[in-house]
Amino acid sequence: MQSYTIGQAARLLGVSPDTARRWADAGRVATHRDEGGRRLIDGRDLAAFSIEIGQGGGGEDEASYTSARNAFPGIVTGLKLGDVAAQVEIQAGPHRLVSLLTREAVEELGLEVGMRATARVKSTSVYIDRA
């Protein structure tokens, strides 16, 4: 039977390796160790757990679902908080993205400079310029 490392399982489940590790530590999914000491999850166990997650059993760390397809994982490099609105700057590889959102949303997300975040872009109008 195929087994998966915590990192591989995390990618398949769409969560961070830390989240997958916490789930394993909490006994939500069974693991065993290989000869090298790596924690592995049996394929059948991972399949059953992925169904549980898909049915809303992810709990607090559950991956969010979105119809936005353009994801830019990066690091928060700037925050400007106003009374109502906020500006969040993310550096995602060579891309600098700036988002305007409510201050409340920034506070609920707990955003801070230096933390990882993903900017998701969805637009009905995308313009392309020829170089």
Side-chain angles (χ1 to χ4, degrees):
M1 165 164 327
Q2 181 159 359
S3 293
Y4 297 90
T5 65
I6 295 287
Q8 290 169 328
R11 280 189 297 280
L12 291 169
L13 295 170
V15 298
S16 72
D18 287 337
T19 296
R21 201 170 293 110
R22 282 192 300 272
W23 284 340
D25 290 344
R28 301 229 12 231
V29 62
T31 63
H32 64 278
R33 299 215 182 248
D34 67 4
E35 302 80 35
R38 293 183 313 167
R39 289 173 69 177
L40 300 175
I41 301 171
D42 284 333
R44 289 182 194 271
D45 292 337
L46 183 59
F49 186 63
S50 68
I51 291 169
E52 177 187 333
I53 296 302
Q55 294 174 341
E60 183 180 332
D61 293 327
E62 185 176 325
S64 62
Y65 294 97
T66 178
S67 61
R69 297 294 180 244
N70 300 314
F72 295 89
I75 187 167
V76 176
T77 56
L79 285 173
K80 292 181 185 173
L81 299 175
D83 290 336
V84 176
Q87 178 179 313
V88 177
E89 190 173 313
I90 294 177
Q91 189 68 38
H95 307 289
R96 177 180 165 263
L97 298 114
V98 178
S99 178
L100 301 175
L101 57 159
T102 65
R103 179 185 181 122
E104 180 181 17
V106 170
E107 291 171 348
E108 284 178 4
L109 290 169
L111 295 179
E112 296 177 4
V113 171
M115 74 183 305
R116 290 182 307 164
T118 300
R120 295 194 184 274
V121 179
K122 183 173 180 178
S123 176
T124 56
S125 298
V126 176
Y127 300 91
I128 306 208
D129 295 333
R130 193 173 101 192

